[in-house]
Amino acid sequence: MALTWTKLVFLRRLGCRWSPLSVAAQHLCNDANIQIAEEVAKLLELKAQIGDVGTNQKFILKTPKGTRDYNPKQMAIREGVFKTIVDSFKRHGAETLDTPVFELKETLTGKYGEDSKLIYDLKDQGGELLSLRYDLTVPFARYLAMNKINRIKRYHIAKVYRRDNPAMTRGRYREFYQCDFDIAGQYDPMIPDAECVKIVHEILTNLGLGDFVIKVNHREILDGMFEVCGVPADKFRTICSSVDKLDKTFWEDVREEMIEEKGLDPATADNIGQYVKMNGGLELVEQLLQDPLLPTSKAAKQGLEGMRTLLKYCQIFGVLDKVSFDLSLARGLDYYTGVIYEAVLKGSEMLPTKTGEQVGVGSVAGGGRYDGLVGMFDPKGKQVPCVGVSIGIERVFSIMEAKAQAKAEKIRTTETDVLVASGQRDMLEERLKLCTELWDAGIKAEMIYKKNPKMLNQFQLAETTGIPLIAVIGEAELKNGTVTLRNMETRAEEQIPRADLISVIKERCRQISSS
Amino acid sequence: MALTWTKLVFLRRLGCRWSPLSVAAQHLCNDANIQIAEEVAKLLELKAQIGDVGTNQKFILKTPKGTRDYNPKQMAIREGVFKTIVDSFKRHGAETLDTPVFELKETLTGKYGEDSKLIYDLKDQGGELLSLRYDLTVPFARYLAMNKINRIKRYHIAKVYRRDNPAMTRGRYREFYQCDFDIAGQYDPMIPDAECVKIVHEILTNLGLGDFVIKVNHREILDGMFEVCGVPADKFRTICSSVDKLDKTFWEDVREEMIEEKGLDPATADNIGQYVKMNGGLELVEQLLQDPLLPTSKAAKQGLEGMRTLLKYCQIFGVLDKVSFDLSLARGLDYYTGVIYEAVLKGSEMLPTKTGEQVGVGSVAGGGRYDGLVGMFDPKGKQVPCVGVSIGIERVFSIMEAKAQAKAEKIRTTETDVLVASGQRDMLEERLKLCTELWDAGIKAEMIYKKNPKMLNQFQLAETTGIPLIAVIGEAELKNGTVTLRNMETRAEEQIPRADLISVIKERCRQISSS
């Protein structure tokens, strides 16, 4: 595609990086198309605002593109999912830590290959140049190097940021949670690597999302494969990025990209095509170790032997049935050096292909070994070998939400035990007093913030929010020194002496929660 | 101070907003000084980097200015603090929700008065213009307007961002947590407002941070005070910002700022000085209602009557002893319309003043009523009255950390119950098998990721990380179908038949945790 000078100037204005020696024209256009689409969206928004002049609203009432709020019901689901995940991390002895949402820009530089363009930068307002974190792995490596830690097993649950094209119905956001588990330290081969597979297996099983497969591959097998297929060494990374697209698109398209865009020899591409079709278990490892071509690469041979060990440990952990050694798995990030993982839900949304086959898009976890990353931060280049997995839970949330809706489950968003109520006028101070008694005894209690609320409204509040008990006071109760306690489900009412109220409520709550 | 043209150009280049009609020269210089300091820091960093050329480190290994990592021990403390706070929020019937870390820039515009300059903007990379959230209140108001919610009681715990001058030893950061509790809805006066005071009281009491005072004031009392003292109406907000500094600086300095910088008449400033010295309880409200000047303002009279109601409810809630009606309390944010709060730890770090008096700097919570904020977002300007408090817990973390260090408490950072170990060679697969059994039964277990670890190293790991039990296997145990279970504290060892292992471990864990 020919690029005119005017177009180039326009592209530069849009912030395209331009290096005439290294960037293919078509690639540049792809980058530019995303940015043009965004500029158009911006103009449309401006137009919408102009249309609104005259009303009070001076701007669009929305969250930024690719982000969302969580309402209380979604939060209840989210907290349940987090608990399942954290329970598993803790069962395997992990500590937790936290890092800032932004890092020095240079901390992230050179870690993400072609994905670097998706990093959010902060505006230069004087001071350091900052970027929002793109994942939790690079901040973890920075933390290890900065604190000279060479052994830790930690989890980190936090939001990360990618200026990607969002597909929110499929759980793909620009702000999303990652739940990372990583093991740093010099250990014997594949033991921590296999524990990561075990953890993913545990979490996906406990979340009850249906059948899944954990794909595994090895950077050295990929590199060896590229080597024996005839890929020039300086193209390993970019060809790896192409292979990485095989989970979302088809071999024909990937092949075309390799040849047209990245200048690969068609025969070399076809060689790669033969290998990336393969997946299996221990028998595939043995088969490939007997392959006439692949083990001629030292890297591939080492990788295959590592894979054999990994699968053996997975067998002992009782998870081998869900593991698939898959030569098409090639995560794009630059920093992986050994095993790589990706877990996919089976039977999740499928994209029908031109040829009738189906491509799953349900990746819910990924990770791998990155032995060189910490050394990139250490002043003396000291290495700390690391391996880890990241649970991409936005998709999990989407599925859990859909499930909850389908079951029409009533999800409580508060934990209130008692509503303090009265059907009579001028009881505000008495209700305030009773609430104070309950709160001070550690009981979860609420009241309506009105001087004289209607009894019906108070019953309705308890009903709609699922509060199990109502404590009613009025003239009669005050005179008798009692409170009327009503069970919302059974409609039973009992007169409780004020002095016994706390212990009776606690007893009733125990009965209700165990029933 | 005279400003040359060159200096002005320089200041503009630094990003200073410049409006010759409204900004005093000295104010501009203050802004510029912060930015100059940052530019100098940036240059020093660059210099340090150049000095490092030749080593592997191409950049400074640090977190961004004003931010920090949390290590596992700090996380353990943090999680304990969060639990106390969330328990209190839930005790009062709150739901929770979450919003993105950034908002459209225009969502934040015009909400923070003079503090707006502290907002972090994201770089324009094509697309929407975004800013990091400055607090959780504005995103909450945006959420209510966007979803047309006119009644909710919610809490939100998340990080907010302010490009302020950090003072990290005093717990002042650029990235810090806020724990917000807010009540939205049309209710009878001061009932939810008083519950917010109750909640702050509960949380500060339960955190055990020592004595504290919850200062309260009212926007209408402040406005009325400015009115009767002779402040021109268009200067209310900026004079309010000056009064806001009284918790950190001295009346003489605030007076000077009012007169020199903001052009207030000295007599007017002295009038204000008489009022802002006052603090007390219900008796001060009654005294001021009898004041010859203050109740001549309708706003002040209304505010004082509201204050009387608030303090009465605080009395019923049993918290009045910690509440101080303080006329110097004047939170700077533009959006407050009614009651304002600020909780301060007594006996926390004090700054001795020129005159020998002391000024506390221990603010740990703040908030107020903001009835107009949601209407700023609603297309038709529909109002939703809101009141809330925000617990600023970075300072609380600092205190808790110092306490933990002083007590030399051993804080466990993992929850592992059992270390699976062996003193013999070639037991790796057996250890893996035993771990699998324990994990699959829900027991928290770990092992060292080595083929043949030394027994001593395994004991040391259990010792240093506080793992209470060790499960030892070897040739003898395998032959007998047993496991040796060792209690790390009592050093007691027992031979457990493999079939009983799970139930025995669960029983031992129960005994240990209850002892």
Side-chain angles (χ1 to χ4, degrees):
Chain A
M1 177 187 257
L3 279 167
T4 63
W5 179 243
T6 329
K7 195 159 185 182
L8 271 178
V9 169
F10 175 64
L11 292 174
R12 290 197 71 174
R13 216 180 45 79
L14 288 178
C16 287
R17 297 155 307 145
W18 169 249
S19 157
L21 293 172
S22 65
V23 180
Q26 199 180 345
H27 208 104
L28 183 65
C29 285
N30 286 343
D31 276 21
N33 282 339
I34 297 174
Q35 304 221 22
I36 289 168
E38 299 218 341
E39 291 287 322
V40 169
K42 210 164 145 185
L43 289 171
L44 286 175
E45 268 184 28
L46 276 170
K47 199 183 154 212
Q49 285 168 38
I50 293 162
D52 267 346
V53 166
T55 77
N56 180 58
Q57 192 172 17
K58 308 266 181 343
F59 52 83
I60 307 290
L61 198 55
K62 67 187 281 291
T63 61
K65 183 178 176 191
T67 69
R68 63 161 169 175
D69 297 317
Y70 284 83
N71 69 31
K73 278 199 180 146
Q74 291 165 330
M75 287 298 282
I77 293 169
R78 182 174 118 178
E79 288 182 356
V81 172
F82 280 158
K83 189 179 179 316
T84 303
I85 293 171
V86 170
D87 281 354
S88 185
F89 291 159
K90 286 187 173 172
R91 197 176 304 125
H92 290 262
E95 315 177 278
T96 187
L97 53 81
D98 194 18
T99 65
V101 80
F102 42 62
E103 295 278 343
L104 299 185
K105 185 175 165 61
E106 50 203 346
T107 299
L108 308 190
T109 303
K111 313 297 186 305
Y112 299 109
E114 293 181 4
D115 290 345
S116 295
K117 62 179 181 289
L118 304 180
I119 294 173
Y120 277 97
D121 292 329
L122 270 75
K123 191 168 147 185
D124 183 0
Q125 294 171 290
E128 300 160 333
L129 294 179
L130 308 174
S131 300
L132 296 186
R133 62 183 163 211
Y134 181 87
D135 64 12
L136 304 176
T137 311
V138 168
F140 174 56
R142 191 265 307 148
Y143 174 85
L144 295 186
M146 194 173 132
N147 296 286
K148 303 196 186 313
I149 293 165
N150 50 31
R151 182 175 297 190
I152 192 173
K153 182 159 53 176
R154 81 89 180 79
Y155 71 90
H156 188 186
I157 295 188
K159 287 174 178 173
V160 302
Y161 299 87
R162 300 186 183 180
R163 244 165 35 80
D164 212 340
N165 263 336
M168 298 172 46
T169 48
R170 279 186 285 154
R172 237 175 74 195
Y173 294 86
R174 289 182 158 200
E175 176 189 59
F176 59 99
Y177 268 100
Q178 283 195 335
C179 304
D180 278 25
F181 173 93
D182 293 82
I183 301 170
Q186 185 68 58
Y187 297 115
D188 281 318
M190 293 296 168
I191 311 176
D193 312 58
E195 187 170 11
C196 289
V197 178
K198 172 74 175 166
I199 285 174
V200 171
H201 187 281
E202 233 174 70
I203 289 171
L204 294 183
T205 304
N206 292 346
L207 287 174
L209 298 170
D211 203 10
F212 59 88
V213 58
I214 305 170
K215 297 180 190 174
V216 296
N217 199 0
H218 198 295
R219 207 19 122 23
E220 288 189 291
I221 299 177
L222 279 165
D223 284 351
M225 179 180 84
F226 295 141
E227 188 191 327
V228 301
C229 289
V231 179
D234 62 348
K235 286 194 174 157
F236 278 18
R237 283 292 170 272
T238 186
I239 293 302
C240 197
S241 286
S242 297
V243 171
D244 187 35
K245 293 172 184 161
L246 277 173
D247 59 335
K248 293 188 202 80
T249 181
F250 320 108
W251 168 248
E252 307 88 76
D253 298 333
V254 169
R255 183 179 180 277
E256 198 183 307
E257 181 182 296
M258 287 176 174
I259 296 167
E260 302 294 319
E261 211 174 294
K262 304 192 169 173
L264 206 64
D265 183 61
T268 302
D270 291 333
N271 284 342
I272 296 172
Q274 290 307 307
Y275 284 112
V276 294
K277 276 182 196 156
M278 298 179 182
N279 63 73
L282 274 165
E283 80 297 341
L284 179 59
V285 178
E286 301 306 334
Q287 178 194 320
L288 287 172
L289 277 168
Q290 304 305 320
D291 189 76
L293 201 58
L294 197 53
T296 61
S297 148
K298 199 184 147 200
K301 188 157 185 288
Q302 263 180 219
L304 286 167
E305 279 160 359
M307 189 55 64
R308 182 197 269 153
T309 308
L310 177 78
L311 296 183
K312 195 178 72 181
Y313 294 157
C314 285
Q315 194 166 31
I316 296 173
F317 283 153
V319 298
L320 192 61
D321 60 316
K322 302 285 188 200
V323 174
S324 168
F325 168 37
D326 188 324
L327 280 111
S328 74
L329 177 65
R331 297 175 62 75
L333 301 182
D334 270 8
Y335 52 62
Y336 290 120
T337 55
V339 169
I340 48 180
Y341 319 93
E342 190 159 287
V344 178
L345 295 184
K346 283 182 174 177
S348 59
E349 294 150 305
M350 294 289 193
L351 291 175
T353 75
K354 299 174 207 167
T355 57
E357 36 168 357
Q358 293 199 308
V359 180
V361 290
S363 166
V364 287
R369 175 164 285 283
Y370 48 102
D371 288 350
L373 191 57
V374 179
M376 289 173 79
F377 291 105
D378 188 83
K380 289 173 185 155
K382 188 169 169 288
Q383 306 283 0
V384 180
C386 295
V387 66
V389 284
S390 179
I391 315 287
I393 52 168
E394 300 300 334
R395 217 187 125 57
V396 173
F397 291 151
S398 307
I399 297 167
M400 303 295 264
E401 264 182 72
K403 275 192 179 181
Q405 274 179 345
K407 276 198 276 181
E409 269 179 312
K410 202 169 175 184
I411 299 167
R412 275 200 77 180
T413 58
T414 68
E415 298 178 7
T416 311
D417 293 320
V418 186
L419 183 73
V420 170
S422 181
Q424 294 167 5
R425 294 188 64 81
D426 301 325
M427 282 288 152
L428 173 62
E429 294 198 7
E430 292 302 331
R431 286 185 292 130
L432 293 174
K433 265 185 216 166
L434 186 50
C435 273
T436 308
E437 270 180 50
L438 299 183
W439 289 331
D440 291 351
I443 291 168
K444 294 168 191 145
E446 282 188 80
M447 53 171 278
I448 286 186
Y449 304 119
K450 297 265 186 186
K451 282 193 170 168
N452 298 305
K454 290 186 182 132
M455 200 65 209
L456 185 66
N457 291 347
Q458 296 172 85
F459 271 70
Q460 273 175 349
L461 178 70
E463 184 68 38
T464 53
T465 62
I467 301 174
L469 299 170
I470 300 193
V472 184
I473 41 169
E475 292 296 344
E477 284 87 355
L478 286 176
K479 206 167 69 185
N480 302 333
T482 61
V483 169
T484 304
L485 194 65
R486 181 187 169 99
N487 182 317
M488 282 297 289
E489 203 194 333
T490 65
R491 299 184 186 183
E493 286 192 355
E494 39 185 347
Q495 295 296 316
I496 315 289
R498 189 88 174 221
D500 303 340
L501 186 63
I502 301 298
S503 58
V504 172
I505 287 177
K506 285 187 176 173
E507 182 54 31
R508 295 291 170 274
C509 288
R510 259 193 301 274
Q511 290 164 352
I512 290 166
S513 69
S514 66
S515 72
Chain B
M1 178 189 255
L3 279 167
T4 63
W5 179 244
T6 329
K7 195 158 183 182
L8 272 178
V9 169
F10 175 65
L11 293 174
R12 290 198 72 174
R13 216 179 46 78
L14 287 178
C16 286
R17 299 154 307 144
W18 168 248
S19 157
L21 293 171
S22 65
V23 179
Q26 198 180 345
H27 208 103
L28 183 65
C29 286
N30 286 342
D31 276 20
N33 281 339
I34 296 173
Q35 304 220 23
I36 289 168
E38 299 219 341
E39 291 287 322
V40 169
K42 208 165 148 184
L43 289 171
L44 285 175
E45 268 184 30
L46 275 171
K47 198 181 156 215
Q49 284 169 39
I50 292 162
D52 267 346
V53 166
T55 76
N56 180 57
Q57 191 171 20
K58 309 262 181 345
F59 51 84
I60 305 290
L61 197 57
K62 65 187 283 291
T63 61
K65 184 179 174 188
T67 68
R68 61 160 170 176
D69 298 317
Y70 284 83
N71 67 33
K73 278 199 178 145
Q74 291 164 331
M75 287 297 282
I77 292 170
R78 184 174 116 178
E79 288 181 357
V81 172
F82 280 158
K83 189 178 179 315
T84 302
I85 293 171
V86 170
D87 281 353
S88 185
F89 291 159
K90 287 187 173 172
R91 197 177 303 125
H92 290 261
E95 315 177 279
T96 187
L97 53 81
D98 194 20
T99 64
V101 80
F102 42 62
E103 295 278 344
L104 298 186
K105 185 175 165 60
E106 51 204 345
T107 299
L108 307 190
T109 303
K111 313 297 187 304
Y112 300 109
E114 292 182 4
D115 289 345
S116 295
K117 62 179 182 288
L118 304 181
I119 294 173
Y120 277 97
D121 292 328
L122 269 74
K123 191 167 146 184
D124 183 359
Q125 294 171 290
E128 301 160 334
L129 293 180
L130 307 174
S131 299
L132 296 187
R133 62 183 162 212
Y134 181 86
D135 63 13
L136 303 176
T137 311
V138 169
F140 175 55
R142 190 266 306 149
Y143 174 86
L144 295 186
M146 193 172 133
N147 297 286
K148 304 198 186 309
I149 293 165
N150 51 31
R151 184 175 296 191
I152 192 173
K153 182 158 55 176
R154 80 89 179 80
Y155 71 89
H156 187 185
I157 296 188
K159 288 174 178 174
V160 302
Y161 298 87
R162 299 185 183 180
R163 244 165 36 78
D164 212 340
N165 263 337
M168 297 169 49
T169 48
R170 279 186 285 155
R172 239 176 73 197
Y173 293 86
R174 290 183 156 197
E175 175 189 59
F176 59 98
Y177 268 100
Q178 283 195 336
C179 304
D180 277 25
F181 172 92
D182 292 82
I183 301 170
Q186 185 67 58
Y187 297 116
D188 281 319
M190 293 296 166
I191 312 175
D193 313 59
E195 188 170 11
C196 290
V197 177
K198 173 74 176 167
I199 285 174
V200 171
H201 187 281
E202 233 174 71
I203 289 171
L204 294 183
T205 304
N206 292 346
L207 287 174
L209 298 170
D211 202 10
F212 58 89
V213 58
I214 304 171
K215 297 180 190 174
V216 296
N217 199 0
H218 197 294
R219 208 18 123 23
E220 289 188 290
I221 299 177
L222 279 165
D223 284 352
M225 178 179 85
F226 294 143
E227 189 191 326
V228 302
C229 289
V231 179
D234 63 347
K235 286 193 174 158
F236 278 18
R237 282 292 170 273
T238 185
I239 293 301
C240 198
S241 286
S242 297
V243 171
D244 187 35
K245 294 174 184 161
L246 277 173
D247 60 335
K248 293 188 202 79
T249 181
F250 319 108
W251 167 247
E252 307 88 75
D253 297 334
V254 169
R255 182 179 181 277
E256 197 183 310
E257 182 182 295
M258 287 176 174
I259 297 167
E260 303 294 320
E261 210 174 296
K262 304 193 169 171
L264 206 64
D265 183 63
T268 302
D270 291 334
N271 285 342
I272 296 172
Q274 290 306 309
Y275 285 111
V276 295
K277 275 181 197 158
M278 298 180 182
N279 63 74
L282 273 166
E283 81 297 340
L284 178 60
V285 177
E286 301 306 333
Q287 179 195 320
L288 287 172
L289 277 168
Q290 304 305 322
D291 189 75
L293 201 58
L294 197 53
T296 61
S297 148
K298 200 184 148 202
K301 188 158 186 285
Q302 263 180 217
L304 286 166
E305 279 160 1
M307 188 55 64
R308 182 198 268 153
T309 309
L310 177 78
L311 296 183
K312 194 178 71 181
Y313 294 157
C314 286
Q315 194 165 30
I316 297 173
F317 283 153
V319 298
L320 192 61
D321 60 317
K322 302 284 189 200
V323 174
S324 167
F325 168 38
D326 188 325
L327 279 113
S328 75
L329 177 66
R331 297 174 63 74
L333 300 182
D334 270 7
Y335 53 63
Y336 290 119
T337 55
V339 170
I340 48 179
Y341 319 95
E342 190 159 287
V344 177
L345 295 183
K346 285 182 173 177
S348 59
E349 295 151 304
M350 295 288 193
L351 290 175
T353 74
K354 298 175 207 168
T355 56
E357 36 169 356
Q358 292 200 310
V359 180
V361 290
S363 166
V364 287
R369 175 164 284 283
Y370 49 102
D371 287 350
L373 191 56
V374 178
M376 290 173 78
F377 291 106
D378 188 83
K380 290 173 186 158
K382 188 169 169 288
Q383 305 283 0
V384 179
C386 294
V387 65
V389 284
S390 179
I391 315 287
I393 53 169
E394 300 300 333
R395 217 189 126 56
V396 173
F397 291 151
S398 307
I399 297 167
M400 304 295 262
E401 264 182 72
K403 274 193 180 180
Q405 275 180 344
K407 276 198 275 179
E409 268 179 313
K410 202 168 175 184
I411 300 167
R412 274 201 78 182
T413 57
T414 68
E415 298 179 6
T416 310
D417 294 319
V418 186
L419 182 74
V420 170
S422 180
Q424 293 167 6
R425 294 188 65 81
D426 301 324
M427 282 290 152
L428 173 63
E429 294 197 6
E430 292 302 331
R431 284 186 292 131
L432 292 174
K433 265 186 219 169
L434 185 51
C435 273
T436 307
E437 271 181 50
L438 299 182
W439 290 330
D440 291 351
I443 291 168
K444 295 168 192 146
E446 282 185 80
M447 53 172 278
I448 286 186
Y449 304 120
K450 297 265 187 185
K451 282 192 170 170
N452 299 304
K454 289 184 183 134
M455 200 65 208
L456 184 66
N457 291 347
Q458 297 173 82
F459 272 69
Q460 273 174 349
L461 178 70
E463 183 68 37
T464 54
T465 62
I467 301 173
L469 298 171
I470 300 193
V472 184
I473 40 169
E475 292 297 345
E477 283 86 355
L478 286 177
K479 206 165 69 184
N480 302 333
T482 61
V483 168
T484 303
L485 194 66
R486 182 186 168 99
N487 181 317
M488 281 298 288
E489 202 194 334
T490 65
R491 299 184 187 184
E493 285 190 357
E494 40 185 346
Q495 296 295 316
I496 317 288
R498 188 87 174 222
D500 304 340
L501 185 63
I502 302 297
S503 59
V504 172
I505 287 177
K506 286 187 176 173
E507 181 55 31
R508 294 290 170 274
C509 287
R510 260 194 299 275
Q511 289 165 351
I512 290 166
S513 70
S514 67
S515 72

